[in-house]
PDB file of all heavy atoms in Angstrom:
ATOM      1  N   TYR T 390      88.918  95.877 126.188  1.00 92.00           N
ATOM      2  CA  TYR T 390      88.017  95.093 125.352  1.00 92.00           C
ATOM      3  C   TYR T 390      88.710  94.727 124.041  1.00 92.00           C
ATOM      4  O   TYR T 390      89.471  95.516 123.490  1.00 92.00           O
ATOM      5  CB  TYR T 390      86.723  95.871 125.056  1.00 92.00           C
ATOM      6  CG  TYR T 390      85.864  96.057 126.279  1.00 92.00           C
ATOM      7  CD1 TYR T 390      86.023  97.168 127.098  1.00 92.00           C
ATOM      8  CD2 TYR T 390      84.920  95.098 126.641  1.00 92.00           C
ATOM      9  CE1 TYR T 390      85.257  97.329 128.249  1.00 92.00           C
ATOM     10  CE2 TYR T 390      84.156  95.257 127.786  1.00 92.00           C
ATOM     11  CZ  TYR T 390      84.328  96.372 128.579  1.00 92.00           C
ATOM     12  OH  TYR T 390      83.572  96.524 129.716  1.00 92.00           O
ATOM     13  N   GLU T 391      88.397  93.527 123.568  1.00 92.00           N
ATOM     14  CA  GLU T 391      89.009  93.071 122.310  1.00 92.00           C
ATOM     15  C   GLU T 391      88.465  93.843 121.107  1.00 92.00           C
ATOM     16  O   GLU T 391      89.172  94.049 120.128  1.00 92.00           O
ATOM     17  CB  GLU T 391      88.762  91.578 122.123  1.00 92.00           C
ATOM     18  CG  GLU T 391      89.461  90.699 123.142  1.00 92.00           C
ATOM     19  CD  GLU T 391      89.107  89.236 122.965  1.00 92.00           C
ATOM     20  OE1 GLU T 391      88.076  88.812 123.505  1.00 92.00           O
ATOM     21  OE2 GLU T 391      89.869  88.531 122.270  1.00 92.00           O
ATOM     22  N   THR T 392      87.206  94.238 121.190  1.00 95.00           N
ATOM     23  CA  THR T 392      86.576  94.977 120.096  1.00 95.00           C
ATOM     24  C   THR T 392      85.803  96.159 120.662  1.00 95.00           C
ATOM     25  O   THR T 392      85.023  95.995 121.607  1.00 95.00           O
ATOM     26  CB  THR T 392      85.612  94.072 119.290  1.00 95.00           C
ATOM     27  OG1 THR T 392      86.334  92.953 118.768  1.00 95.00           O
ATOM     28  CG2 THR T 392      84.983  94.849 118.134  1.00 95.00           C
ATOM     29  N   VAL T 393      86.024  97.337 120.093  1.00 96.00           N
ATOM     30  CA  VAL T 393      85.291  98.539 120.480  1.00 96.00           C
ATOM     31  C   VAL T 393      84.620  99.093 119.225  1.00 96.00           C
ATOM     32  O   VAL T 393      85.298  99.463 118.261  1.00 96.00           O
ATOM     33  CB  VAL T 393      86.223  99.609 121.084  1.00 96.00           C
ATOM     34  CG1 VAL T 393      85.420 100.844 121.488  1.00 96.00           C
ATOM     35  CG2 VAL T 393      86.992  99.049 122.281  1.00 96.00           C
ATOM     36  N   VAL T 394      83.297  99.110 119.217  1.00 97.00           N
ATOM     37  CA  VAL T 394      82.528  99.639 118.086  1.00 97.00           C
ATOM     38  C   VAL T 394      81.928 100.975 118.512  1.00 97.00           C
ATOM     39  O   VAL T 394      81.257 101.057 119.549  1.00 97.00           O
ATOM     40  CB  VAL T 394      81.418  98.666 117.647  1.00 97.00           C
ATOM     41  CG1 VAL T 394      80.637  99.244 116.469  1.00 97.00           C
ATOM     42  CG2 VAL T 394      82.016  97.312 117.270  1.00 97.00           C
ATOM     43  N   ILE T 395      82.167 102.016 117.721  1.00 97.00           N
ATOM     44  CA  ILE T 395      81.721 103.363 118.081  1.00 97.00           C
ATOM     45  C   ILE T 395      80.773 103.893 117.009  1.00 97.00           C
ATOM     46  O   ILE T 395      81.145 104.021 115.836  1.00 97.00           O
ATOM     47  CB  ILE T 395      82.921 104.322 118.222  1.00 97.00           C
ATOM     48  CG1 ILE T 395      83.925 103.769 119.239  1.00 97.00           C
ATOM     49  CG2 ILE T 395      82.451 105.711 118.635  1.00 97.00           C
ATOM     50  CD1 ILE T 395      85.192 104.592 119.358  1.00 97.00           C
ATOM     51  N   ASP T 396      79.550 104.191 117.417  1.00 97.00           N
ATOM     52  CA  ASP T 396      78.572 104.817 116.524  1.00 97.00           C
ATOM     53  C   ASP T 396      78.800 106.325 116.554  1.00 97.00           C
ATOM     54  O   ASP T 396      78.526 106.983 117.552  1.00 97.00           O
ATOM     55  CB  ASP T 396      77.154 104.470 116.996  1.00 97.00           C
ATOM     56  CG  ASP T 396      76.064 105.096 116.123  1.00 97.00           C
ATOM     57  OD1 ASP T 396      76.416 105.779 115.136  1.00 97.00           O
ATOM     58  OD2 ASP T 396      74.878 104.901 116.433  1.00 97.00           O
ATOM     59  N   CYS T 397      79.312 106.879 115.437  1.00 96.00           N
ATOM     60  CA  CYS T 397      79.629 108.309 115.373  1.00 96.00           C
ATOM     61  C   CYS T 397      78.519 109.130 114.743  1.00 96.00           C
ATOM     62  O   CYS T 397      78.649 110.358 114.619  1.00 96.00           O
ATOM     63  CB  CYS T 397      80.930 108.525 114.592  1.00 96.00           C
ATOM     64  SG  CYS T 397      82.394 107.889 115.443  1.00 96.00           S
ATOM     65  N   GLY T 398      77.433 108.493 114.331  1.00 93.00           N
ATOM     66  CA  GLY T 398      76.340 109.234 113.724  1.00 93.00           C
ATOM     67  C   GLY T 398      76.757 109.883 112.416  1.00 93.00           C
ATOM     68  O   GLY T 398      77.704 109.458 111.750  1.00 93.00           O
ATOM     69  N   SER T 399      76.044 110.945 112.042  1.00 92.00           N
ATOM     70  CA  SER T 399      76.340 111.638 110.786  1.00 92.00           C
ATOM     71  C   SER T 399      76.780 113.077 111.007  1.00 92.00           C
ATOM     72  O   SER T 399      77.114 113.780 110.055  1.00 92.00           O
ATOM     73  CB  SER T 399      75.096 111.628 109.877  1.00 92.00           C
ATOM     74  OG  SER T 399      73.990 112.238 110.528  1.00 92.00           O
ATOM     75  N   GLN T 400      76.797 113.532 112.284  1.00 90.00           N
ATOM     76  CA  GLN T 400      77.224 114.887 112.597  1.00 90.00           C
ATOM     77  C   GLN T 400      78.627 114.854 113.180  1.00 90.00           C
ATOM     78  O   GLN T 400      78.907 114.075 114.086  1.00 90.00           O
ATOM     79  CB  GLN T 400      76.264 115.542 113.591  1.00 90.00           C
ATOM     80  CG  GLN T 400      74.841 115.679 113.076  1.00 90.00           C
ATOM     81  CD  GLN T 400      74.752 116.604 111.871  1.00 90.00           C
ATOM     82  OE1 GLN T 400      75.404 117.647 111.842  1.00 90.00           O
ATOM     83  NE2 GLN T 400      73.947 116.222 110.903  1.00 90.00           N
ATOM     84  N   MET T 401      79.513 115.699 112.672  1.00 90.00           N
ATOM     85  CA  MET T 401      80.899 115.704 113.114  1.00 90.00           C
ATOM     86  C   MET T 401      81.081 116.619 114.327  1.00 90.00           C
ATOM     87  O   MET T 401      80.607 117.751 114.343  1.00 90.00           O
ATOM     88  CB  MET T 401      81.804 116.167 111.976  1.00 90.00           C
ATOM     89  CG  MET T 401      83.295 116.063 112.283  1.00 90.00           C
ATOM     90  SD  MET T 401      83.791 114.377 112.701  1.00 90.00           S
ATOM     91  CE  MET T 401      83.202 113.487 111.279  1.00 90.00           C
ATOM     92  N   SER T 402      81.759 116.118 115.331  1.00 92.00           N
ATOM     93  CA  SER T 402      82.153 116.905 116.497  1.00 92.00           C
ATOM     94  C   SER T 402      83.622 116.623 116.766  1.00 92.00           C
ATOM     95  O   SER T 402      84.208 115.703 116.191  1.00 92.00           O
ATOM     96  CB  SER T 402      81.310 116.523 117.724  1.00 92.00           C
ATOM     97  OG  SER T 402      81.602 115.197 118.135  1.00 92.00           O
ATOM     98  N   SER T 403      84.226 117.394 117.645  1.00 92.00           N
ATOM     99  CA  SER T 403      85.636 117.160 117.948  1.00 92.00           C
ATOM    100  C   SER T 403      85.827 115.803 118.603  1.00 92.00           C
ATOM    101  O   SER T 403      86.865 115.153 118.418  1.00 92.00           O
ATOM    102  CB  SER T 403      86.162 118.272 118.865  1.00 92.00           C
ATOM    103  OG  SER T 403      85.445 118.300 120.100  1.00 92.00           O
ATOM    104  N   ALA T 404      84.824 115.344 119.352  1.00 94.00           N
ATOM    105  CA  ALA T 404      84.938 114.067 120.049  1.00 94.00           C
ATOM    106  C   ALA T 404      84.949 112.896 119.077  1.00 94.00           C
ATOM    107  O   ALA T 404      85.854 112.049 119.107  1.00 94.00           O
ATOM    108  CB  ALA T 404      83.797 113.913 121.049  1.00 94.00           C
ATOM    109  N   ASN T 405      83.936 112.820 118.191  1.00 92.00           N
ATOM    110  CA  ASN T 405      83.937 111.668 117.292  1.00 92.00           C
ATOM    111  C   ASN T 405      85.001 111.793 116.202  1.00 92.00           C
ATOM    112  O   ASN T 405      85.443 110.794 115.635  1.00 92.00           O
ATOM    113  CB  ASN T 405      82.545 111.370 116.721  1.00 92.00           C
ATOM    114  CG  ASN T 405      81.922 112.534 116.008  1.00 92.00           C
ATOM    115  OD1 ASN T 405      82.611 113.355 115.405  1.00 92.00           O
ATOM    116  ND2 ASN T 405      80.590 112.617 116.065  1.00 92.00           N
ATOM    117  N   ALA T 406      85.459 113.025 115.927  1.00 94.00           N
ATOM    118  CA  ALA T 406      86.589 113.182 115.003  1.00 94.00           C
ATOM    119  C   ALA T 406      87.836 112.546 115.592  1.00 94.00           C
ATOM    120  O   ALA T 406      88.618 111.877 114.884  1.00 94.00           O
ATOM    121  CB  ALA T 406      86.837 114.653 114.708  1.00 94.00           C
ATOM    122  N   ALA T 407      88.040 112.725 116.905  1.00 93.00           N
ATOM    123  CA  ALA T 407      89.186 112.108 117.570  1.00 93.00           C
ATOM    124  C   ALA T 407      89.072 110.590 117.531  1.00 93.00           C
ATOM    125  O   ALA T 407      90.066 109.880 117.324  1.00 93.00           O
ATOM    126  CB  ALA T 407      89.278 112.603 119.008  1.00 93.00           C
ATOM    127  N   ALA T 408      87.857 110.077 117.725  1.00 95.00           N
ATOM    128  CA  ALA T 408      87.651 108.628 117.686  1.00 95.00           C
ATOM    129  C   ALA T 408      87.947 108.063 116.303  1.00 95.00           C
ATOM    130  O   ALA T 408      88.591 107.012 116.165  1.00 95.00           O
ATOM    131  CB  ALA T 408      86.215 108.302 118.099  1.00 95.00           C
ATOM    132  N   ILE T 409      87.494 108.763 115.262  1.00 95.00           N
ATOM    133  CA  ILE T 409      87.741 108.306 113.893  1.00 95.00           C
ATOM    134  C   ILE T 409      89.234 108.307 113.583  1.00 95.00           C
ATOM    135  O   ILE T 409      89.759 107.403 112.933  1.00 95.00           O
ATOM    136  CB  ILE T 409      86.969 109.192 112.896  1.00 95.00           C
ATOM    137  CG1 ILE T 409      85.458 108.979 113.063  1.00 95.00           C
ATOM    138  CG2 ILE T 409      87.386 108.920 111.451  1.00 95.00           C
ATOM    139  CD1 ILE T 409      84.605 110.013 112.385  1.00 95.00           C
ATOM    140  N   GLU T 410      89.930 109.317 114.074  1.00 93.00           N
ATOM    141  CA  GLU T 410      91.379 109.394 113.855  1.00 93.00           C
ATOM    142  C   GLU T 410      92.096 108.220 114.528  1.00 93.00           C
ATOM    143  O   GLU T 410      93.071 107.688 113.989  1.00 93.00           O
ATOM    144  CB  GLU T 410      91.913 110.710 114.410  1.00 93.00           C
ATOM    145  CG  GLU T 410      93.403 110.910 114.179  1.00 93.00           C
ATOM    146  CD  GLU T 410      93.908 112.190 114.817  1.00 93.00           C
ATOM    147  OE1 GLU T 410      93.083 113.029 115.220  1.00 93.00           O
ATOM    148  OE2 GLU T 410      95.133 112.341 114.917  1.00 93.00           O
ATOM    149  N   MET T 411      91.620 107.801 115.705  1.00 91.00           N
ATOM    150  CA  MET T 411      92.265 106.731 116.450  1.00 91.00           C
ATOM    151  C   MET T 411      91.872 105.343 115.966  1.00 91.00           C
ATOM    152  O   MET T 411      92.538 104.357 116.295  1.00 91.00           O
ATOM    153  CB  MET T 411      91.908 106.838 117.934  1.00 91.00           C
ATOM    154  CG  MET T 411      92.410 108.081 118.622  1.00 91.00           C
ATOM    155  SD  MET T 411      91.838 108.163 120.346  1.00 91.00           S
ATOM    156  CE  MET T 411      92.726 106.780 121.073  1.00 91.00           C
TER     157      MET T 411
END
Side-chain angles (χ1 to χ4, degrees):
Y390 292 90
E391 294 176 275
T392 302
V393 181
V394 180
I395 304 175
D396 179 1
C397 292
S399 58
Q400 299 296 319
M401 186 58 55
S402 67
S403 61
N405 56 32
I409 293 166
E410 182 183 347
M411 296 176 67

